[in-house]
Amino acid sequence: MIDQAEVATGPERTEPRWSRVLLKLSGEAFAGGDPLGIDPTTVATIARQVATVARSGIEIAVVVGGGNMFRGPALAERGMDRARADYMGMLGTVINCLALADFLEREGAVTRVQTAIAMGQVAEPYLPLRAIRHLEKGRVVIFGAGLGAPFFSTDTTAAQRSLEVKAQAVLKATKVDGVYDSDPHTNPAAVKFDTLTYGEVLNRGLKVMDATAISLCMDNAMPIVVFDLLTEGNISRAVRGEKIGTLVSVDAYGTEGQR
């Protein structure tokens, strides 16, 4: 029987908690310290961490945002048609996918980029069964172009793809080390949560993922780990179930992650 207290606060794990995960990367992270664009040093750091996880035998898929290129809602606020702006954002995610794939290949990882919008010269079309087969063969599968439809975020894409490829957890990599009750960059007194339930996230309006993504994960008991991306080794720590960041799950112990 699992000791729930040990799950929440016990010693660091040496064996992976999950064997197949979906990693959600924000486009902003790819820019490093710049407002826009791709910082090669930052992407190389991310790729090194992902490749390390893949070499350990963990099956890992990645959803990449496009906020370092285009943000559909921001463009729409300036008068652009929202659907067209969102499609521009989807194309931006593909640029990030190709950059990540290149750096992963340099690390010795085998990759496949799949996109929700057909673009055969640069990527495969998104096919869930093919994606699962790639994962089973140890390839890193990178999903681009969101869901291929406007008005949906890449957070929702991450939740959807994790369910379709039968991942066991969503790893949400961010620029902060977990979920806080307010913005820690502007409020030094912000309080960090070690664990949260889906209901608490929705009721408090916490900025973990958008409400659609949280609801999808809640309906399917998909655990979410929110953690700092740029701390070296954190992706591996998250996969092992070490106590980093914030765990969002059915209950305070994340026991559904043991299934």
Side-chain angles (χ1 to χ4, degrees):
M1 179 179 294
I2 297 169
D3 184 335
Q4 290 185 335
E6 182 174 319
V7 171
T9 61
E12 292 185 352
R13 297 166 178 263
T14 56
E15 295 298 321
R17 182 174 186 179
W18 298 294
S19 58
R20 180 181 295 168
V21 296
L22 189 291
L23 175 65
K24 170 57 170 60
L25 299 173
S26 70
E28 290 90 340
F30 278 41
D34 297 325
L36 294 172
I38 294 175
D39 175 47
T41 301
T42 300
V43 180
T45 299
I46 296 169
R48 184 166 59 248
Q49 291 195 64
V50 174
T52 297
V53 171
R55 281 194 297 268
S56 73
I58 304 301
E59 297 173 9
I60 183 167
V62 186
V63 167
V64 185
N68 58 322
M69 298 292 177
F70 303 100
R71 295 188 66 86
L75 292 172
E77 288 176 3
R78 302 293 296 272
M80 182 174 287
D81 176 76
R82 172 61 191 270
R84 187 169 292 115
D86 279 354
Y87 280 118
M88 292 174 65
M90 292 177 215
L91 297 178
T93 70
V94 178
I95 294 173
N96 288 337
C97 289
L98 296 177
L100 179 60
D102 184 81
F103 280 95
L104 280 168
E105 297 279 352
R106 296 185 195 187
E107 291 291 330
V110 179
T111 68
R112 293 292 187 274
V113 176
Q114 292 194 345
T115 58
I117 298 173
M119 46 187 76
Q121 289 181 293
V122 297
E124 296 179 357
Y126 171 62
L127 294 171
L129 291 179
R130 182 180 291 177
I132 290 170
R133 185 60 177 150
H134 287 321
L135 292 170
E136 291 173 343
K137 290 185 176 182
R139 298 164 182 159
V140 179
V141 183
I142 309 169
F143 299 121
L147 288 176
F151 306 105
F152 291 98
S153 71
T154 51
D155 279 348
T156 299
T157 302
Q160 178 80 12
R161 295 289 183 258
S162 70
L163 296 170
E164 289 181 300
V165 303
K166 297 176 171 54
Q168 296 167 310
V170 174
L171 308 183
K172 166 82 172 183
T174 69
K175 290 184 175 182
V176 294
D177 61 345
V179 181
Y180 287 79
D181 62 353
S182 58
D183 187 348
H185 292 128
T186 58
N187 179 15
V191 177
K192 178 187 169 187
F193 299 99
D194 291 330
T195 61
L196 287 164
T197 65
Y198 307 106
E200 288 172 331
V201 171
L202 293 172
N203 292 336
R204 291 171 176 260
L206 298 173
K207 295 182 179 179
V208 178
M209 303 171 84
D210 64 61
T212 303
I214 293 294
S215 296
L216 269 174
C217 290
M218 178 172 64
D219 290 345
N220 295 276
M222 178 68 69
I224 307 165
V225 182
V226 184
F227 64 97
D228 174 26
L229 170 64
L230 296 181
T231 297
E232 192 75 29
N234 260 3
I235 298 176
S236 293
R237 295 185 188 100
V239 169
R240 290 196 298 268
E242 293 183 18
K243 190 178 177 183
I244 64 167
T246 302
L247 172 65
V248 182
S249 60
V250 170
D251 57 41
Y253 304 105
T255 51
E256 85 292 337
Q258 303 298 322
R259 62 190 175 186

